[in-house]
Amino acid sequence: MTRVGSKDIAIIIPARNEQARIGACLAALAGQCAGRTAVILVINNTTDRTGSMARDTALRLGIDLTVLEHRLAWHEGVGTARRIGCEHVLQTMPALRYMFTTDADCIVGPDWIARNCAHLETVDAVCGKINLLTSEAGILDGMDLHLAELEGIYRSLVQEIYALHSPGCADIGGTHGEAAGASLAFNRTAYLAAGGFPPVRCGEDRRIVRALRLAGCQVRHADDVTVQASCRLVGRAVGGMSDALKARISGIGYSVDDCLPPADWLVERMRSKTLGPWPPHVSARFRLNAQDLPRHIEILEDFRKSERLLPARIAAAEAMPC
């Protein structure tokens, strides 16, 4: 059991059948886990030796680890596991100040804890930048690079629109803009204000970031807080990163990220000033196909040009004699 004492940082990691990866995940944290940090591993529906591997690694590396094992129902998943871990630390760590999350198939950066803490001195929550493990990059050799480039262009345009037109979202301009459970950090007050992680199978990370913004919390998408994530194509969460990567190397048209709405929807919401918080969520019915991105990019680029021209037109009209 964790020796809570005066520890004020908790790292929550959900895991299911991760015996091959949990050792590397914990090893990346080991050098950063000073006396103020406790690690909570929430194992669910596991049939392998994830728990024993984690305990052995923690003992060898001097990590203060608590392992919670649960059997989740079919409609529950990673969101439920994160919530279980967070509820545990809220109840058992009286000095709790910060709550971090990552995933069992991820390798956090060597200064991940320190960088998160530095940002949390001035904001309420931090979304880290997710890179893919370079050692597994070959898995993605079949990806259509042109479509990937188009999705990146469209993402930048969508983020620019949210930064300019969505209240409280100016911070996302020029950042990675992601909100992945592989690297999230909150102060205790912000987590409670957002209502905690929703107990869902997938998508709990973006949901809590939207809830944080709606609650008036300040969120930062920090490029210097980094995590390397697995490129594996058989994942643990339906609709998660593995499914997204598999779609992108399938060789056929695929749906782009569900935080990228259609261009006409965005223009309408901008004009009516009804954009919600970042990141948005596009239902399966309205998600864009990657093959259609050129048309949507053109719409947003045209709208951006018209916005930039508008102030000049107004100024010219005001300067004309009556």
Side-chain angles (χ1 to χ4, degrees), residues 43-199:
I43 299 177
N44 70 92
N45 302 51
T46 287
T47 58
D48 69 2
R49 298 181 57 250
T50 299
S52 59
M53 291 286 293
R55 292 184 183 94
D56 290 346
T57 301
L59 181 63
R60 175 168 51 84
L61 298 177
I63 297 172
D64 185 356
L65 176 73
T66 292
V67 177
L68 307 176
E69 300 197 39
H70 288 263
R71 187 76 184 174
L72 302 183
W74 66 270
H75 61 279
E76 299 175 311
V78 64
T80 310
R82 289 195 211 278
R83 187 178 184 93
I84 287 170
C86 289
E87 289 178 345
H88 174 83
V89 300
L90 286 167
Q91 294 168 8
T92 61
M93 296 178 64
L96 181 66
R97 184 181 181 191
Y98 297 146
M99 305 161 71
F100 302 167
T101 76
T102 188
D103 291 327
D105 64 339
C106 290
I107 308 296
V108 304
D111 57 354
W112 185 70
I113 293 178
R115 296 308 309 155
N116 271 312
C117 288
H119 286 295
L120 288 172
E121 292 294 327
T122 55
V123 297
D124 300 304
V126 183
C127 303
K129 183 177 182 179
I130 313 302
N131 301 310
L132 297 178
L133 280 166
T134 54
S135 60
E136 299 181 0
I139 295 173
L140 306 181
D141 284 347
M143 184 180 291
D144 187 322
L145 297 181
H146 177 61
L147 290 182
E149 182 181 6
L150 287 176
E151 186 168 355
I153 292 170
Y154 191 64
R155 183 186 184 89
S156 295
L157 288 168
V158 173
Q159 281 188 216
E160 180 182 335
I161 286 168
Y162 269 83
L164 292 173
H165 297 278
S166 180
C169 291
D171 61 282
I172 70 168
T175 72
H176 61 80
E178 258 299 352
S183 184
L184 292 178
F186 324 91
N187 63 45
R188 184 180 185 277
T189 301
Y191 180 81
L192 293 172
F197 281 108

Side-chain angles (χ1 to χ4, degrees), residues 23 30 32 73 116 122 147 184 188 198 205 218 231 261 264 266 279 283 289 294 297 317 321:
Q32 306 179 51
N116 271 312
T122 55
L147 290 182
L184 292 178
R188 184 180 185 277
D205 40 14
Q218 188 174 356
C231 298
D264 50 359
L266 278 169
S283 65
N289 188 287
I297 289 171

